[in-house]
Coordinates of all heavy atoms in Angstrom, one line a residue:
V363 N 261.2 13.0 113.5 CA 261.2 12.8 114.9 C 261.8 11.4 115.2 O 262.6 11.3 116.2 CB 259.7 12.8 115.5 CG1 259.7 12.4 117.0 CG2 259.2 14.3 115.4
E364 N 261.4 10.4 114.5 CA 262.0 9.1 114.7 C 263.5 9.1 114.4 O 264.3 8.3 115.1 CB 261.3 8.1 113.8 CG 259.8 7.8 114.3 CD 259.7 7.4 115.7 OE1 260.5 6.5 116.2 OE2 258.9 7.9 116.4
K365 N 263.9 9.9 113.5 CA 265.4 9.9 113.2 C 266.2 10.4 114.3 O 267.3 9.9 114.7 CB 265.6 10.8 111.9 CG 265.2 10.2 110.6 CD 265.5 11.1 109.5 CE 265.1 10.6 108.1 NZ 265.3 11.5 107.0
V366 N 265.7 11.5 115.0 CA 266.5 12.0 116.1 C 266.4 11.1 117.3 O 267.3 11.2 118.2 CB 266.0 13.5 116.5 CG1 266.2 14.4 115.3 CG2 264.6 13.5 117.0
K367 N 265.4 10.3 117.4 CA 265.3 9.3 118.5 C 266.2 8.1 118.2 O 266.7 7.4 119.1 CB 263.9 8.9 118.7 CG 263.0 10.0 119.2 CD 261.5 9.6 119.2 CE 261.2 8.4 120.0 NZ 259.8 8.1 120.0
A368 N 266.4 7.8 116.9 CA 267.2 6.6 116.5 C 268.7 6.8 116.5 O 269.5 6.0 116.8 CB 266.7 6.1 115.1
T369 N 269.1 8.1 116.1 CA 270.5 8.3 115.9 C 270.9 9.7 116.4 O 270.2 10.7 116.2 CB 270.9 8.3 114.4 OG1 270.4 7.1 113.8 CG2 272.4 8.4 114.1
P370 N 272.0 9.8 117.1 CA 272.4 11.1 117.6 C 272.7 12.1 116.5 O 273.1 11.7 115.4 CB 273.7 10.8 118.4 CG 273.7 9.4 118.7 CD 273.0 8.8 117.5
P371 N 272.5 13.4 116.7 CA 272.8 14.4 115.7 C 274.3 14.5 115.5 O 275.1 14.0 116.4 CB 272.3 15.7 116.3 CG 272.3 15.5 117.8 CD 272.0 14.0 118.0
S372 N 274.8 15.1 114.4 CA 276.2 15.2 114.2 C 276.8 16.3 115.1 O 276.1 17.2 115.6 CB 276.5 15.6 112.7 OG 276.0 16.9 112.5
Q373 N 278.1 16.2 115.3 CA 278.8 17.2 116.1 C 278.7 18.6 115.5 O 278.5 19.6 116.2 CB 280.3 16.8 116.3 CG 281.1 17.8 117.2 CD 280.6 17.7 118.6 OE1 280.3 16.6 119.1 NE2 280.5 18.8 119.3
E374 N 278.7 18.6 114.2 CA 278.6 19.9 113.5 C 277.2 20.5 113.7 O 277.1 21.8 114.0 CB 278.8 19.7 112.0 CG 278.7 21.0 111.2 CD 278.7 20.7 109.7 OE1 278.9 19.6 109.3 OE2 278.6 21.7 108.9
E375 N 276.2 19.7 113.7 CA 274.8 20.3 114.0 C 274.8 20.8 115.5 O 274.2 21.9 115.7 CB 273.8 19.2 113.9 CG 273.4 18.8 112.5 CD 272.4 17.7 112.4 OE1 272.7 16.6 113.0 OE2 271.4 17.8 111.8
V376 N 275.4 20.1 116.4 CA 275.3 20.6 117.8 C 276.1 21.9 117.9 O 275.6 22.8 118.6 CB 275.9 19.5 118.7 CG1 276.0 20.0 120.2 CG2 275.1 18.2 118.6
E377 N 277.3 22.0 117.3 CA 278.1 23.2 117.4 C 277.3 24.4 116.8 O 277.3 25.5 117.3 CB 279.4 23.0 116.7 CG 280.3 22.0 117.4 CD 280.9 22.5 118.7 OE1 280.7 23.7 119.0 OE2 281.6 21.8 119.4
R378 N 276.7 24.1 115.7 CA 275.9 25.2 115.0 C 274.8 25.7 115.9 O 274.6 26.9 116.1 CB 275.4 24.8 113.7 CG 274.8 25.9 112.8 CD 274.5 25.4 111.4 NE 273.5 24.3 111.4 CZ 273.7 23.2 110.8 NH1 274.8 22.9 110.2 NH2 272.7 22.2 110.8
A379 N 274.1 24.8 116.4 CA 272.9 25.1 117.3 C 273.4 25.9 118.6 O 272.8 26.9 119.0 CB 272.1 23.9 117.6
R380 N 274.5 25.4 119.2 CA 275.0 26.0 120.4 C 275.5 27.4 120.1 O 275.2 28.3 120.9 CB 276.1 25.1 120.9 CG 276.7 25.7 122.2 CD 277.5 24.7 123.0 NE 278.3 23.8 122.2 CZ 278.4 22.5 122.4 NH1 277.7 21.9 123.4 NH2 279.1 21.7 121.7
T381 N 276.2 27.6 119.0 CA 276.7 28.9 118.7 C 275.5 29.9 118.5 O 275.6 31.0 118.9 CB 277.6 28.9 117.5 OG1 278.7 27.9 117.7 CG2 278.2 30.2 117.2
S382 N 274.5 29.4 117.8 CA 273.4 30.3 117.5 C 272.7 30.7 118.8 O 272.5 31.9 119.0 CB 272.4 29.5 116.7 OG 271.2 30.2 116.5
L383 N 272.5 29.8 119.7 CA 271.8 30.1 120.9 C 272.6 31.1 121.8 O 272.2 32.1 122.3 CB 271.5 28.9 121.7 CG 270.5 29.0 122.9 CD1 269.7 27.8 123.0 CD2 271.4 29.2 124.2
L384 N 273.9 30.7 122.0 CA 274.7 31.5 122.9 C 275.1 32.9 122.3 O 275.2 33.9 123.1 CB 276.0 30.8 123.3 CG 275.8 29.5 124.1 CD1 277.1 28.8 124.4 CD2 275.0 29.7 125.3
A385 N 275.2 33.0 121.0 CA 275.5 34.3 120.4 C 274.3 35.2 120.6 O 274.4 36.4 120.8 CB 275.7 34.1 118.9
G386 N 273.1 34.6 120.5 CA 271.9 35.5 120.8 C 271.9 36.0 122.2 O 271.5 37.1 122.5
L387 N 272.2 35.1 123.2 CA 272.3 35.5 124.6 C 273.3 36.5 124.8 O 273.1 37.5 125.5 CB 272.5 34.2 125.4 CG 272.6 34.4 126.9 CD1 271.4 35.0 127.5 CD2 273.0 33.1 127.6
L388 N 274.4 36.3 124.2 CA 275.6 37.3 124.4 C 275.2 38.7 123.8 O 275.5 39.7 124.4 CB 276.8 36.7 123.7 CG 278.1 37.4 123.9 CD1 278.6 37.2 125.4 CD2 279.2 36.9 123.0
R389 N 274.6 38.7 122.7 CA 274.3 40.0 122.0 C 273.5 40.9 122.9 O 273.6 42.1 122.9 CB 273.6 39.7 120.7 CG 273.5 40.9 119.8 CD 273.1 40.5 118.4 NE 274.1 39.7 117.8 CZ 273.9 38.4 117.6 NH1 272.7 37.8 117.9 NH2 274.8 37.7 117.0
G390 N 272.6 40.3 123.7 CA 271.7 41.1 124.5 C 272.5 41.8 125.6 O 272.0 42.9 126.1
L391 N 273.7 41.3 125.9 CA 274.4 41.9 127.0 C 275.1 43.2 126.6 O 275.8 43.8 127.5 CB 275.4 40.9 127.5 CG 274.9 39.6 128.0 CD1 275.9 38.6 128.5 CD2 273.8 39.8 129.1
E392 N 275.0 43.6 125.4 CA 275.5 45.0 125.0 C 274.7 46.1 125.6 O 275.1 47.2 125.7 CB 275.6 45.1 123.5 CG 276.6 44.3 122.8 CD 276.7 44.6 121.4 OE1 275.7 44.6 120.7 OE2 277.8 45.0 120.9
R393 N 273.5 45.7 126.0 CA 272.5 46.8 126.5 C 272.3 46.6 128.0 O 272.4 45.5 128.6 CB 271.2 46.6 125.8 CG 271.3 46.9 124.3 CD 270.0 46.6 123.6 NE 269.7 45.1 123.6 CZ 268.7 44.6 124.2 NH1 267.8 45.4 124.8 NH2 268.5 43.3 124.2
I394 N 272.0 47.7 128.7 CA 271.7 47.6 130.1 C 270.3 47.3 130.4 O 270.0 46.7 131.4 CB 272.1 49.0 130.8 CG1 271.3 50.1 130.2 CG2 273.5 49.2 130.8 CD1 271.3 51.4 131.0
G395 N 269.4 47.6 129.5 CA 268.0 47.3 129.7 C 267.3 46.6 128.5 O 268.0 46.2 127.6
G396 N 266.0 46.5 128.6 CA 265.3 45.9 127.5 C 265.4 44.3 127.6 O 266.1 43.8 128.4
F397 N 264.6 43.6 126.8 CA 264.6 42.2 126.8 C 266.0 41.7 126.5 O 266.6 42.0 125.5 CB 263.6 41.7 125.8 CG 262.2 41.9 126.1 CD1 261.4 42.8 125.4 CD2 261.7 41.4 127.3 CE1 260.1 43.1 125.7 CE2 260.3 41.6 127.6 CZ 259.6 42.5 126.8
G398 N 266.6 40.8 127.4 CA 267.9 40.2 127.1 C 269.0 41.1 127.6 O 270.2 40.7 127.5
G399 N 268.8 42.3 128.0 CA 269.8 43.2 128.5 C 270.3 42.8 129.8 O 269.8 41.9 130.5
K400 N 271.3 43.5 130.3 CA 272.0 43.0 131.6 C 271.0 43.1 132.8 O 271.0 42.2 133.6 CB 273.2 43.8 131.8 CG 274.4 43.5 130.9 CD 275.6 44.3 131.2 CE 275.6 45.7 130.6 NZ 276.9 46.4 130.7
S401 N 270.2 44.2 132.9 CA 269.3 44.3 134.0 C 268.3 43.2 133.9 O 267.8 42.6 134.9 CB 268.7 45.7 134.1 OG 267.9 45.9 132.9
D402 N 267.8 42.9 132.7 CA 266.8 41.9 132.5 C 267.3 40.5 132.9 O 266.7 39.7 133.6 CB 266.4 41.9 131.1 CG 265.1 41.1 130.8 OD1 264.0 41.5 131.4 OD2 265.1 40.1 130.1
L403 N 268.6 40.2 132.5 CA 269.2 38.9 132.8 C 269.4 38.7 134.3 O 269.1 37.7 134.8 CB 270.5 38.8 132.0 CG 271.0 37.3 131.9 CD1 270.1 36.5 131.0 CD2 272.4 37.4 131.2
L404 N 269.9 39.8 134.9 CA 270.2 39.7 136.4 C 268.9 39.4 137.1 O 268.8 38.6 138.1 CB 270.9 40.9 136.9 CG 272.3 41.1 136.4 CD1 272.8 42.5 136.8 CD2 273.2 40.1 137.1
A405 N 267.8 40.1 136.8 CA 266.5 39.9 137.4 C 266.0 38.5 137.2 O 265.4 37.9 138.1 CB 265.5 41.0 136.9
N406 N 266.2 38.1 136.0 CA 265.7 36.7 135.6 C 266.4 35.7 136.4 O 265.8 34.8 137.0 CB 266.1 36.5 134.1 CG 265.3 35.4 133.5 OD1 264.5 34.7 134.2 ND2 265.5 35.2 132.2
Y407 N 267.7 35.7 136.5 CA 268.5 34.8 137.3 C 268.1 34.8 138.8 O 268.0 33.8 139.5 CB 270.0 35.0 137.2 CG 270.6 34.6 135.8 CD1 271.7 35.2 135.4 CD2 270.0 33.7 135.0 CE1 272.3 34.9 134.1 CE2 270.5 33.3 133.8 CZ 271.7 33.9 133.4 OH 272.2 33.6 132.1

Side-chain angles (χ1 to χ4, degrees):
V363 170
E364 291 305 313
K365 285 180 183 178
V366 300
K367 292 169 63 177
T369 307
S372 68
Q373 184 66 41
E374 181 184 356
E375 286 179 305
V376 176
E377 292 289 354
R378 185 171 65 235
R380 177 162 40 227
T381 302
S382 173
L383 189 148
L384 295 182
L387 179 60
L388 189 68
R389 190 168 299 109
L391 302 180
E392 289 189 306
R393 297 173 292 118
I394 58 170
F397 292 114
K400 288 182 283 188
S401 64
D402 194 64
L403 197 66
L404 289 170
N406 198 356
Y407 288 155

